Amino acid sequence: MSLYDAYIGLLSLILLTCLASLSMQRLRPLIKTVALQGIAVTMTTLLYQQNVHFLLPFIMIIVKGVLIPMLLLYTLKKVSIKSEGKPIVGFHASVLLGILFLFMVIHYSHDKLSKLLADQSFSFSVAVVTIACGLFLMMARRKALTQVVGYLIMDNGIYLMGALFLKNIPFVLEFAILLDLLVAVMVMGIILHKINETFNSIDTTSLATLKDRWHE
Amino acid sequence: MKHLFFALIMIAFAPLLMSLIARVKAIFAGKVGLPWFFYYHTLLKLLQKTPVISMHTTAIFTTAPLINLAVMLFLFAFLPLANYRPLLSFYGDIFVVIAFLALARIFSLLAAFDTASSFSAMGAARDVFYSMLAEIVLFTIFIIFFRLTNDLSLATFAIEGKIELFARSTFFPLLLVAVSFFMLLLQENARVPIDDPNTHLELTMIDEVKILDYSGPYLAFMQLSLFLKLLFYSCFLANLLFSQSLVTQLCTIALSLDSNSYPLLYAFFKNLIFIALVSAIYIAIAVIESSMARLALKKIPKYSLSALVLAVLAAILMWRNV
C-alpha cells in the first residue's frame, strides 16, 4: 500500500463520516464521528503537505480529536438530552441529498474544473462536500448541539480546502483558527447550558418565541 | 463440466453450512450445539411426513415450494464457482438471474397470501417493502460491474469485474463493494440485523412467517430453497474475494506445487480455498448473529441506505480518475 492509497483511503473515510453524520440521530455517536473526522483531516495534511511544522498535526489532533469532543460530550451530559428529535429535513432524505450533492460535485469538478485542479479534483470534491455537509447540518437540524457539530464539520472542510490550495499552511494562522474554534465551542457550550436552563431544551426553534418567559 | 461437479458439491454442502452457523452461534452461547448433520436429518424427516394442506388454499400453495427449489437449483447454473466458468453464461444473463429470483419471490408471496392467514400476508407485505429497498443496492453494485466490464453476465461480473475493480484502483472500492454486498446478503436472506431466523413471535418475523403454513415435504423444499439462496449469495461474495493469482502464488510458494505439473492437486487445493472462503462468510454471519440484536423494523430503511452509501462511495472512488 503506497502513500497515495492511504491518502485516498483517508479521503473516503472523511466522505463516509460526512454521510454518516447526516444520518445520525443520537448525539453521542455524532460527536464521536466528528472527532474521527477531525483526526482523519489532520492525517491527510500529514500525508499531503511536505514541509508542515511538526507541532501542527499533534496540536490539531489533540484539539479536534480530543479536546473539542470532550467539551461537547460534557455539554451533552449537562443538558441531558440524547438525540435529535424531529429534524427539519429527515435523516434518510439528508443522506440521499448528500449522495446527490456528492455526485454533482464530482461531476462538476471532473468536467469544468479539471484543468484548474489537475489531479486533485477528488480532494477538492471531498472538501466541498464536507463544507456543504456542515452547512446542511446547521440548517436542517433543530438541536443547538447538532448545529455546533455542523460548524465543526464545516471547519474541517475549510481546513481541507486550504490544505489543498496552499502549498505551505501558515503555522500561526492555523493555530489562531484552532484557538478560535476551541473558544467558540466553549462559548457555545455555555450558551447551550443557558438555553437549556431557560427553555428546558436546546431546541433552537424555541429561541424564536420572543416572549419574556420569566415574568409570565 | 468442472463447474457442474463443483456446483453439485456446493449444493450438497448447503445444509452442512447451515449447521456451521448454528454451531458457531452455540460456541458464543456456551453450548455444545447441533450435530453437524442435523439439517440433513430434518430435511429427510420432513420429506417422509404427510403434508397437511389447508382446504382454503389453491394450487399456488403447493407449487410455490417446487418453483422456489427449482429456481434456486437452476440459478446455480449461472453462478461462477472458484473462477470456473458457469454452465450457462451469455450477454444479459444477469437479467435472467434477477428475473428468476423475482419469480421465486413472487410465488412465495402469492403462496403466503393464498393461505389467507393474516400473519403470512403481513410477512409478505414486509418482505416486498424491504426487498424493494435491497434491490436498489443490488442494482447499484451491478451497475458498477457493468461499467467496469461492459458485459452483462454474472460470471464476468464476478471473475473479470473484480480484477478490473482491483486494477483500476486499490482495494478500497473492492472492500466497499464486498461489505455492501454482505449487508445485502444479510437482508435478502433474513439474517440477524434484519430478521431473526430463530424468532418465535410471528409479529416480528419477516421471512419465516411466509412459510408458517407449510408442513412435510413442502416445508422441506421451502427450507432447502432458503439454504440454497443463502449459498447463492455467499458464493457470489466469495467469488468477489477469491483471487486466482493469489491462490497460484500460494500454491507455488507455500507448497511448491506447480499448477501445470499437478493440475488435479492444484484444482483440489483451489476448490478447498474457495470452500473455506464460503465457510468464512457463513462464520461471519454467525458471529454477527450472536453479537448483535436485530434492528427495529423502522430502522431497516436506514440499513439499506448505509449499504447503498457504501456502494455509491465505491463507484465514486473508482471513477475519480476517469
Side-chain angles (χ1 to χ4, degrees):
Chain A
M1 205 170 86
S2 68
L3 217 60
Y4 183 69
D5 294 342
Y7 181 62
I8 294 296
L10 277 174
L11 286 182
S12 43
L13 182 68
I14 293 169
L15 269 185
L16 265 185
T17 52
C18 275
L19 292 170
S21 69
L22 287 177
S23 78
M24 273 176 184
Q25 187 165 16
R26 284 146 57 84
L27 294 176
R28 185 173 276 271
L30 182 64
I31 292 168
K32 284 177 184 164
T33 312
V34 172
L36 181 68
Q37 191 184 47
I39 293 171
V41 165
T42 316
M43 299 296 275
T44 45
T45 7
L46 263 182
L47 291 177
Y48 185 71
Q49 299 263 332
Q50 274 87 29
N51 39 7
V52 57
H53 194 286
F54 73 97
L55 264 178
L56 185 60
F58 289 108
I59 294 179
M60 265 189 73
I61 284 180
I62 288 170
V63 171
K64 281 191 171 171
V66 183
L67 225 52
I68 289 177
M70 269 172 68
L71 267 171
L72 284 176
L73 286 175
Y74 177 74
T75 317
L76 191 66
K77 208 186 260 174
K78 278 275 175 189
V79 299
S80 66
I81 55 156
K82 284 212 169 79
S83 72
E84 170 82 36
K86 276 207 163 66
I88 296 166
V89 181
F91 299 105
H92 299 170
S94 313
V95 177
L96 283 179
L97 280 174
I99 293 176
L100 209 67
F101 190 75
L102 184 56
F103 264 121
M104 271 164 52
V105 171
I106 295 259
H107 184 73
Y108 188 74
S109 59
H110 267 318
D111 280 12
K112 302 285 190 299
L113 302 176
S114 53
K115 274 196 190 124
L116 184 71
L117 294 167
D119 57 337
Q120 290 168 1
S121 72
F122 184 58
S123 347
F124 171 79
S125 324
V126 173
V128 171
V129 166
T130 315
I131 294 172
C133 169
L135 272 174
F136 185 81
L137 270 187
M138 290 208 279
M139 290 189 291
R141 299 287 186 266
R142 285 181 206 275
K143 295 278 185 284
L145 204 74
T146 327
Q147 293 174 356
V148 177
V149 167
Y151 174 70
L152 290 176
I153 292 177
M154 199 175 73
D155 177 74
N156 281 341
I158 291 171
Y159 178 79
L160 211 58
M161 188 79 98
L164 186 67
F165 284 115
L166 297 174
K167 281 284 162 285
N168 297 314
I169 302 178
F171 180 58
V172 183
L173 189 67
E174 207 49 53
F175 273 131
I177 292 173
L178 267 183
L179 194 65
D180 276 357
L181 198 68
L182 194 61
V183 171
V185 171
M186 274 179 174
V187 171
M188 278 182 204
I190 295 164
I191 292 175
L192 273 177
H193 196 59
K194 286 288 170 198
I195 295 174
N196 191 45
E197 259 181 7
T198 316
F199 298 107
N200 266 327
S201 81
I202 54 167
D203 201 330
T204 46
T205 42
S206 54
L207 288 177
T209 54
L210 288 172
K211 267 190 274 179
D212 203 349
R213 290 208 171 187
W214 293 103
H215 304 293
E216 267 181 60
Chain B
M1 211 51 218
K2 272 182 193 164
H3 172 265
L4 181 66
F5 188 61
F6 196 45
L8 286 178
I9 291 178
M10 289 308 284
I11 288 169
F13 270 153
L16 189 69
L17 286 164
M18 293 309 284
S19 46
L20 177 68
I21 290 187
R23 286 196 75 105
V24 173
K25 278 169 84 174
I27 291 172
F28 272 85
K31 298 177 196 160
V32 181
L34 300 173
W36 281 105
F37 293 97
F38 176 78
Y39 286 102
Y40 294 98
H41 289 302
T42 320
L43 290 176
L44 275 180
K45 202 171 88 183
L46 283 173
L47 281 174
Q48 286 160 2
K49 284 187 174 178
T50 324
V52 181
I53 297 167
S54 158
M55 50 194 278
H56 301 290
T57 54
T58 56
I60 293 175
F61 185 73
T62 44
T63 43
L66 294 170
I67 288 178
N68 260 288
L69 187 59
V71 162
M72 288 323 298
L73 285 173
F74 177 59
L75 284 185
F76 272 85
F78 291 100
L79 182 74
L81 293 163
N83 280 9
Y84 292 130
R85 279 264 154 202
L87 277 182
L88 294 171
S89 175
F90 48 86
Y91 185 83
D93 72 1
I94 197 79
F95 295 112
V96 178
V97 170
I98 292 171
F100 269 96
L101 278 172
L103 180 77
R105 172 165 281 134
I106 282 174
F107 266 89
S108 67
L109 293 176
L110 284 179
F113 278 108
D114 199 33
T115 58
S117 141
S118 46
F119 280 131
S120 300
M122 180 198 69
R126 281 178 184 167
D127 192 42
V128 170
F129 178 56
Y130 296 131
S131 59
M132 181 194 80
L133 295 173
E135 232 156 54
I136 305 172
V137 185
L138 185 70
F139 276 96
T140 313
I141 292 172
F142 281 165
I143 287 170
I144 292 175
F145 282 124
F146 171 65
R147 287 287 307 271
L148 280 172
T149 55
N150 267 325
D151 197 353
L152 279 173
S153 100
L154 200 63
T156 326
F157 282 2
I159 297 174
E160 273 118 48
K162 155 192 71 187
I163 298 169
E164 280 279 315
L165 199 61
F166 203 76
R168 288 255 181 125
S169 192
T170 49
F171 62 91
F172 294 117
L174 187 61
L175 187 73
L176 287 170
V177 167
V179 171
S180 176
F181 193 84
F182 184 67
M183 289 173 82
L184 179 81
L185 178 149
L186 293 178
Q187 181 164 12
E188 285 279 294
N189 292 289
R191 303 311 300 190
V192 143
I194 302 302
D195 188 10
D196 193 349
N198 293 334
T199 183
H200 292 298
L201 182 63
E202 289 89 344
L203 275 176
T204 61
M205 292 175 179
I206 298 174
D207 203 63
E208 197 76 11
V209 77
K210 289 189 296 175
I211 59 170
L212 275 182
D213 285 273
Y214 281 112
S215 56
Y218 296 120
L219 184 59
F221 293 154
M222 221 52 178
Q223 278 191 342
L224 190 59
S225 63
L226 287 179
F227 295 168
L228 290 181
K229 193 175 174 190
L230 182 56
L231 185 68
F232 181 80
Y233 279 88
S234 312
C235 283
F236 186 74
L237 182 57
N239 264 309
L240 290 186
L241 302 173
F242 184 79
S243 156
Q244 176 98 45
S245 57
L246 209 66
V247 170
T248 316
Q249 274 176 13
L250 204 69
C251 281
T252 42
I253 295 168
L255 299 169
S256 57
L257 190 74
D258 193 9
S259 57
N260 295 324
S261 46
Y262 298 101
L264 213 62
L265 201 60
Y266 171 75
F268 174 74
F269 195 68
K270 192 177 97 171
N271 296 352
L272 209 63
I273 286 180
F274 185 77
I275 291 172
L277 211 55
V278 174
S279 314
I281 290 166
Y282 273 72
I283 290 171
I285 294 171
V287 169
I288 285 174
E289 230 154 79
S290 23
S291 58
M292 70 188 288
R294 53 172 295 171
L295 293 172
L297 283 176
K298 62 173 181 186
K299 284 202 176 150
I300 296 176
K302 193 178 258 182
Y303 175 89
S304 313
L305 199 58
S306 329
L308 179 67
V309 164
L310 292 180
V312 164
L313 199 63
I316 283 170
L317 278 180
M318 218 148 14
W319 282 293
R320 76 200 139 78
N321 294 331
V322 174

